[in-house]
Structure formats: structure tokens, C-alpha cells
Amino acid sequence: TVLTLIFTVSCDNPANSDDHELHEHAEGAVLKMNGGEIVRIEDGIVQSGQIEVTEGEETPLITIYFLAEDGDEFQPDEPDYSLRWNQINESIAEVEQHDEDGKWSFHIHGLASGNTTVKFRLWHDGENHSDYNTPEIDIIVN
């Protein structure tokens, strides 16, 4: 009985488990809009999709989910993680993130007809570095 109790307690103790980390490690990402997947990134490349928006308008809410090594989607819930972006031609389109959208959601606002790209970063504020960068994602403004 004592051995069973020790085994049960040690299995329930997160400090003894290699499966428990402070946060998941991102291996890819998925962008979703209106519940449907619009972009999938795996193995360091955009496997499918692009972002399309009409000039003078903005997309519905787009939400990013990061992919763990096993393919599970996640969003870090630690307060020192945020979403950042770069490599976008802001004369064609811009990323808009409103407080009410949440920290993993945003809109793309089409400013002028043309094509540009954007790279999203899983930013670790406390360490002042990116834990994951997407490759360039195509944005088409019609």
C-alpha cells in the first residue's frame, strides 16, 4: 500500500514530469478567420493559404494559434508573451490589433491595391526576444 501511494503521488507531481513545461514550444502556426483556417505554417514554410482583403476595408477578426511539436494548437497564457509583426509594406496593408480583440487576434486593413507580406512573432516580453517567427505570409489587397 505504501509503495502504491508513493508511486501515485510521484506521478501526479508536475515537478517529476518532463511533460510539464512553462509553455509549449511553437513549431508552426495556423491563422483562422470566421472559424476556418486561412493559413497553415509547418516545417518552416507556408503550407497553404494567404490573407486577402479589399482596399479600404479590413478583414474579419483573424486569430493565430501556434502549433506544438505534436501538432496541437495552443496560445501561451503567460502574461509575458505577446504577438508582434514586421516585414509588411504599410502603404499597402497594416495590421490592426484592438484591445477588445485579445492578444492573439488582429485585423488586416487594406490600404492600397497590391501585394505585401507579413511575418508574425511570438514575442517573449520578459526576455525581449522572439520565441517563434513565421515565414513571410502573403497579403493580397484587391
Side-chain angles (χ1 to χ4, degrees), residues 28-32 63-67 72-75 104-105:
V30 174
L31 276 62
K32 294 184 180 184
T63 302
I64 190 167
Y65 298 88
F66 298 97
L67 298 175
D72 286 348
E73 297 175 2
F74 73 96
Q75 295 172 319
W104 306 114
S105 297

Side-chain angles (χ1 to χ4, degrees), residues 17-92:
S17 173
D18 292 336
D19 293 335
H20 293 80
E21 293 184 32
L22 197 52
H23 66 276
E24 296 276 354
H25 179 72
E27 297 289 333
V30 174
L31 276 62
K32 294 184 180 184
M33 182 170 56
N34 295 328
E37 184 177 301
I38 60 168
V39 174
R40 176 169 286 271
I41 300 161
E42 294 177 324
D43 300 323
I45 61 172
V46 176
Q47 299 288 329
S48 62
Q50 60 195 13
I51 300 171
E52 294 186 39
V53 62
T54 301
E55 181 179 355
E57 296 183 15
E58 71 178 19
T59 63
L61 195 62
I62 298 172
T63 302
I64 190 167
Y65 298 88
F66 298 97
L67 298 175
E69 186 175 358
D70 62 4
D72 286 348
E73 297 175 2
F74 73 96
Q75 295 172 319
D77 56 5
E78 293 89 357
D80 57 339
Y81 283 92
S82 61
L83 183 63
R84 293 196 180 178
W85 50 88
N86 61 3
Q87 310 243 340
I88 188 169
N89 182 338
E90 292 182 344
S91 66
I92 295 175

